[in-house]
Amino acid sequence: MSEAVLSPVRIGRLSIGALGILALALGTLQSVVEPALPLLQRELGVSPSEGALVGNTLLVTGAVVAPVAGKLGDRYGGKSVLVRLMAVVSAGGLLAGLAPNLPVLLLGQVLQGVMVGALPLSFILVRKHLPTGESQLAIGVVMALFTGGGMVGTLFAGPIAEGLSWHWMFALPTIAIIAMTLVITRLMPHDPPVQADNRIDWPGMALLSGTLLAFMLGLVKVTGDGLPPLAVGAIAVVVAALATGWVTVERRAASPMVDLRMLAKPAIWHSCVLTLVITTSFGMVAFLLPQLFAIPADGYGFGLNTTDIGLFLLPGAIAGAVSDSLGGVAARRFGLRAVLIGGAAVTVATVIALVSLHTAEWQLVVAKVLIAIGAGVGSTALLTRTATAVETRDTGIATSLLVVTRVIGVAVGSQVAAAILDAGADSATGLPTESAFATGFAMAGLVAALSLLVVRMTKKGVQA
């Protein structure tokens, strides 16, 4: 009880640096699958949809765990929950590093998925220990390093997989995560819980987790297996029932997991809608590009190996890291609405151009850079706005909901793109046709264009 009333200790550069390096290692572990996906598909003997499942299994777990982690961090303190989550991530990384087959690899990905909860927990720590202005900068730094980890994973996944084996892609970042967790345990001061006298809303947590899990698994099944309409309808009914039950419980709970009044704020729900649209388009392109790079060069593809794919994706990863660090700053200087419109316009123009301009490597590299900038600046600006638009006691749950929205958007995008490639596969070779990629890029452009419509429809909320 006494801990709840103590003033938080201001954290120094070493503690922020430790959080940042941990985010870098987590981003690396999350990103190694993208450039190595064609290699994994070949070595494990799986289709594009099953390959998308390797990456999206992590996202499924992250979508379920992030809001729970954020709420527990608000309740018990960000540091203690973060350390426990990293133990689970480490176990998953080591399991993936030892995986002999696809089922074991998927189990490792499930455990690794709790890493998504590290982001809202990091935001809790910087929000509690730093003034508002400095906390916004620190949030941008953590997000930038998490995205920068994507750069590291993209660059080194190929050489590691081809020089050692794909198992080491997971093992090496895991070793770094273990080391940095030990450093944080020693350096980071304990942050006092904000609501020490309130009980945890376990029914609300269970229903929200069940809703997200049913949605994510349903998404994977619908886009990958071609379920009959009755099965699709059944999945939709289950998700709707769980969501309705969750809303009912939250409205009656004395201390709800998510205060529905908070969700009703324009700053929150507008951010969630826009983030979903932005990241869905980005997820589609992020899945399509490495697949196109790997298509044999005797047709319309380039026949690149994992190392080369990583090198060509690297500029986009760098652009994403930079744009993530500048999203909040750009929104403060130019206004959130201007940042969102600019990012969406760049994304739409770029993806539509890809429909016809995808015959040279440089075209795909430039496209990935522009899309990473557009999506990164917009989504991070929305995240920093959300982190400072709620009370300190709600930082974890509010930011975790937005992180979950990002995860869902990327998962939706990649699964839809995988389904488009599967549907457009050549019956003789089993490879996607060029028209399937063109269709995928066109769909990604249409989704990105929706963000412009959403910004216009929610003009007042975006300016709030």
Side-chain angles (χ1 to χ4, degrees):
M1 179 70 66
S2 60
E3 185 183 17
V5 297
L6 293 177
S7 299
V9 179
R10 181 185 176 89
I11 57 178
R13 293 182 179 179
L14 287 178
S15 296
I16 297 174
L19 278 177
I21 296 174
L22 177 62
L24 183 72
L26 291 170
T28 301
L29 182 60
Q30 183 188 45
S31 66
V32 292
V33 169
E34 181 183 355
L37 195 54
L39 180 147
L40 290 174
Q41 289 171 198
R42 290 195 304 269
E43 295 209 0
L44 297 173
V46 298
S47 67
S49 289
E50 291 171 320
L53 181 59
V54 175
N56 281 344
T57 297
L58 183 149
L59 299 180
V60 170
T61 306
V64 173
V65 170
V68 177
K71 189 63 178 182
L72 292 178
D74 287 333
R75 171 63 173 82
Y76 295 111
K79 177 184 175 180
S80 61
V81 180
L82 177 63
V83 170
R84 287 168 172 78
L85 250 64
M86 291 306 97
V88 178
V89 173
S90 300
L94 294 176
L95 185 61
L98 298 172
N101 51 43
L102 179 61
V104 178
L105 175 59
L106 291 177
L107 178 58
Q109 291 289 90
V110 168
L111 297 178
Q112 290 176 52
V114 305
M115 74 169 67
V116 179
L119 292 176
L121 293 171
S122 298
F123 302 154
I124 290 174
L125 290 172
V126 299
R127 178 80 189 277
K128 286 184 178 179
H129 293 295
L130 293 174
T132 299
E134 293 182 32
S135 68
Q136 289 179 321
L137 179 61
I139 288 172
V141 169
V142 171
M143 281 301 305
L145 287 172
F146 184 78
T147 307
M151 174 182 65
V152 175
T154 298
L155 180 62
F156 291 106
I160 292 172
E162 294 169 356
L164 298 172
S165 78
W166 60 265
H167 298 86
W168 284 99
M169 299 188 315
F170 302 102
L172 292 179
T174 301
I175 294 172
I177 290 170
I178 294 172
M180 292 317 303
T181 301
L182 294 175
V183 172
I184 288 174
T185 302
R186 182 172 181 82
L187 289 182
M188 182 67 65
H190 288 283
D191 54 311
V194 176
Q195 295 177 307
D197 294 331
N198 293 332
R199 294 181 178 180
I200 292 293
D201 177 22
W202 294 113
M205 283 190 178
L207 285 168
L208 179 59
S209 298
T211 302
L212 293 171
L213 183 61
F215 174 79
M216 296 294 282
L217 292 179
L219 171 68
V220 170
K221 297 294 291 182
V222 169
T223 57
D225 294 345
L227 295 178
L230 185 61
V232 175
I235 292 173
V237 169
V238 170
V239 173
L242 289 170
T244 302
W246 174 69
V247 171
T248 301
V249 168
E250 296 304 89
R251 293 183 65 177
R252 297 178 179 178
S255 178
M257 177 188 180
V258 179
D259 188 343
L260 298 181
R261 292 171 298 179
M262 179 189 71
L263 286 181
K265 292 182 178 180
I268 304 301
W269 73 265
H270 290 170
S271 294
C272 287
V273 172
L274 282 166
T275 297
L276 179 64
V277 176
I278 292 170
T279 54
T280 297
S281 176
F282 176 81
M284 294 184 70
V285 178
F287 180 83
L288 290 169
L289 290 184
Q291 299 288 332
L292 183 54
F293 276 132
I295 291 292
D298 55 357
Y300 59 89
F302 304 95
L304 301 183
N305 59 28
T306 302
T307 299
D308 291 335
I309 291 174
L311 289 173
F312 280 117
L313 294 178
L314 178 61
I318 296 173
V322 173
S323 62
D324 272 348
S325 65
L326 298 178
V329 176
R332 289 198 301 273
R333 181 169 182 177
F334 303 107
L336 179 62
R337 188 167 184 266
V339 169
L340 293 173
I341 291 176
V346 169
T347 301
V348 172
T350 302
V351 181
I352 294 301
L354 275 175
V355 174
S356 57
L357 299 177
H358 54 258
T359 56
E361 290 95 334
W362 69 266
Q363 295 171 344
L364 305 187
V365 171
V366 171
K368 182 63 183 293
V369 168
L370 293 175
I371 293 167
I373 292 173
V377 170
S379 60
T380 303
L382 290 167
L383 180 61
T384 56
R385 192 270 290 266
T386 299
T388 55
V390 298
E391 299 292 335
T392 301
R393 66 176 183 271
D394 293 323
T395 301
I397 188 61
T399 55
S400 66
L401 290 175
L402 210 62
V403 169
V404 166
T405 305
R406 291 174 67 136
V407 168
I408 290 175
V410 173
V412 169
S414 61
Q415 286 294 153
V416 169
I420 291 173
L421 294 189
D422 278 350
D426 185 276
S427 58
T429 64
L431 296 174
T433 61
E434 185 175 8
S435 62
F437 281 98
T439 300
F441 290 134
M443 288 295 296
L446 291 175
V447 173
L450 285 177
S451 60
L452 292 171
L453 179 61
V454 174
V455 170
R456 180 175 179 81
M457 293 175 60
T458 59
K459 180 177 180 180
K460 292 183 180 180
V462 169
Q463 291 175 334

